[in-house]
Amino acid sequence: VNGPEQVVVSGAPEELDALAARCEADGIQARRIAVDYASHSPQVEDLREELLDLLAPVTPRTGHTPLISTVTGETIDTATMDAAYWFTNLRETVRFDAALTTLLATGHRVFIETSPHPVLTGPVTQAAENNGTEAVRAIGTLRRGEGGQHRLLHSLAEAHTAGLPIDWTPWTGTGHLTDLPTYAFQHRRHWL
């Protein structure tokens, strides 16, 4: 469950096709995601031993930034994110909605989606609206067919207008940034 109006379902292809047809017949938008296995479903069980073996060398440790798990929807100590955690993350239902509810409840208001295309910015703003939370801003980073510096600068500008402090020095070099007037027609006359 990503949000109030977006749910992802996994399972056998023929069952997903039947569900998509039923949704479309009921006027609900549905589309298939191009993947070759159904993560977050019983199909992942076949990979359990291989994944646990491959991930066994991972030694998690406690981080400095709080992490909200989409497995539980709650804050967790990152030292618990061992091989079993990551298998559970791949096998079980993604609780993005619960994690988002926790973030909203703890005062987070700006969300930056770092993905190849922003698919969760809509659910973020919908969840905030449904929760009665105001002044929430969801910002994407990349978009399909749009990458590079132009897209990054656009995303940074969105974050800046949302009130986030942005370090512009990588773009401006050692130059000095000048504050613009807060009002387009604000003038200060100088008399010699």
Side-chain angles (χ1 to χ4, degrees), residues 71-88:
V71 173
T72 65
E74 300 294 329
T75 304
I76 65 166
D77 180 352
T78 53
T80 65
M81 298 173 76
D82 59 4
Y85 173 87
W86 288 111
F87 176 78
T88 302

Side-chain angles (χ1 to χ4, degrees), residues 32 39 46 49 52 65 75 79 91 93 122 129 144 147 161 163 182 186 189:
R32 291 285 299 273
S39 53
D46 295 340
E49 295 310 315
L52 291 175
T65 304
T75 304
R91 167 62 179 91
T93 300
E129 289 169 6
R144 281 185 207 99
T161 60
T182 56
Q186 180 181 10
R189 298 193 182 272

